[in-house]
């Protein structure tokens, strides 16, 4: 088993980090611009910290 195949290079790690950050920014933008999307997500997932 080649362990190096599982460890990403710095370039691969940076690329994945940018993809993740970009997706989070797009999601935040859409939630801010479209109140119906925000309401749908709240109904589907519930409020943060709403469970005990």
């Amino acid at each position: 088993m080649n362990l190096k195949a599982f460890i990403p290079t710095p370039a691969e790690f940076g690329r994945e980090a940018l993809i993740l950050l970009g997706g989070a920014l797009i999601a935040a933008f859409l939630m801010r611009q479209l109140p119906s999307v925000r309401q749908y997500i709240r109904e589907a997932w519930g409020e943060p910290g709403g469970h005990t």
Side-chain angles (χ1 to χ4, degrees):
M1 178 175 220
N2 188 2
L3 189 57
K4 286 187 177 183
F6 291 108
I7 300 173
T9 64
E12 292 171 333
F13 184 81
R15 181 180 62 237
E16 293 298 325
L18 287 175
I19 291 169
L20 182 69
L21 183 61
L25 289 173
I26 290 169
F29 175 78
L30 289 176
M31 285 186 64
R32 185 172 177 95
Q33 297 299 317
L34 303 170
S36 60
V37 172
R38 184 182 325 139
Q39 186 61 33
Y40 170 78
I41 292 173
R42 284 188 177 164
E43 289 172 2
W45 289 84
E47 290 292 324
H51 57 82
T52 55

